[in-house]
């Protein structure tokens, strides 16, 4: 079964007081939310789980060991390259993801005028679709109400079941 175990994790951006210290966490099947005040370390924790940041102490264990974690960036200003691939692909899987997330490929021509929520849906669809075969968990920071329809898909992905939307 896919899982993520965090043991005695600590992280600091400098020699100052650590932002996170002695974190113990075990994530298994299901959907988990990370909630807290601004600056409390939510995005940092997700970055540590994804491997985008290295802990100053402790460990993050992923099962299976070679599992990848898709981390959607907070920045929605720039269009990631994977988004264009999701829009252009004509296969059934890409089409299902576009349908589940209400994504219209014509939207990409007006990326600067899309709402942050519309951009986030494209990022999320791209992260889940293209990494689905090897991804154990998808995490996003600052989700919006407009991606709620994707929650069952993300939940299914985190539980290790098939990544295709129903």
């Amino acid at each position: 079964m896919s899982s993520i175990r965090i043991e005695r994790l600590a992280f600091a951006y400098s020699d100052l007081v650590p932002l996170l210290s002695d974190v113990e966490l075990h994530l298994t099947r299901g959907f988990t939310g990370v909630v807290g005040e601004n600056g409390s370390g939510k995005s940092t924790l997700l970055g540590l789980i994804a491997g985008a940041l290295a802990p100053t102490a402790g460990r993050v264990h992923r099962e299976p060991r070679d599992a990848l974690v898709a981390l959607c960036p907070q920045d929605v200003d720039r269009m990631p390259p994977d988004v264009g691939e999701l829009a252009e692909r004509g296969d059934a899987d890409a089409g299902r993801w576009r349908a589940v997330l209400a994504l219209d490929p014509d939207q990409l021509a007006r990326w600067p005028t899309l709402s942050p929520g519309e951009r986030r849906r494209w990022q999320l669809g791209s992260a889940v679709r293209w990494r689905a075969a090897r991804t154990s968990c998808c995490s996003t920071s600052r989700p919006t109400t407009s991606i709620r329809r994707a929650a069952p898909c993300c939940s299914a992905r985190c539980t290790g079941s098939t990544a295709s939307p129903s």
Side-chain angles (χ1 to χ4, degrees), residues 27-136:
L27 301 174
T28 59
R29 296 180 63 100
F31 182 80
T32 302
V34 180
V35 180
E37 294 181 19
N38 288 346
S40 63
K42 300 177 300 294
S43 296
T44 300
L45 178 62
L46 295 174
L48 289 161
I49 290 171
L53 297 171
T56 52
R59 298 177 53 124
V60 176
H61 299 279
R62 292 183 199 93
E63 268 312 311
R65 287 181 190 244
D66 64 345
L68 296 177
V69 177
L71 179 64
C72 294
Q74 290 186 47
D75 175 23
V76 294
D77 293 334
R78 288 172 277 153
M79 183 184 352
D82 295 6
V83 166
E85 291 181 48
L86 177 60
E88 293 169 6
R89 293 290 296 251
D91 60 277
D93 193 41
R96 281 191 300 273
W97 278 110
R98 287 192 305 263
V100 165
L101 295 169
L103 302 174
D104 178 356
D106 293 336
Q107 292 175 314
L108 298 188
R110 56 181 192 85
W111 184 268
T113 66
L114 295 178
S115 72
E118 290 170 316
R119 294 178 196 173
R120 175 69 68 205
R121 286 198 327 263
W122 276 103
Q123 285 180 334
L124 182 62
S126 173
V128 174
R129 164 64 176 99
W130 299 117
R131 293 166 183 89
R134 295 173 45 211
T135 302
S136 292

Side-chain angles (χ1 to χ4, degrees), residues 1-4 27-32 63-64 67-68 128 132 135-139 150-164:
M1 170 177 27
S2 296
S3 73
I4 297 171
L27 301 174
T28 59
R29 296 180 63 100
F31 182 80
T32 302
E63 268 312 311
L68 296 177
V128 174
T135 302
S136 292
C137 186
C138 176
S139 61
C153 302
C154 265
S155 179
R157 185 64 239 146
C158 289
T159 62
S161 60
T162 147
S164 292

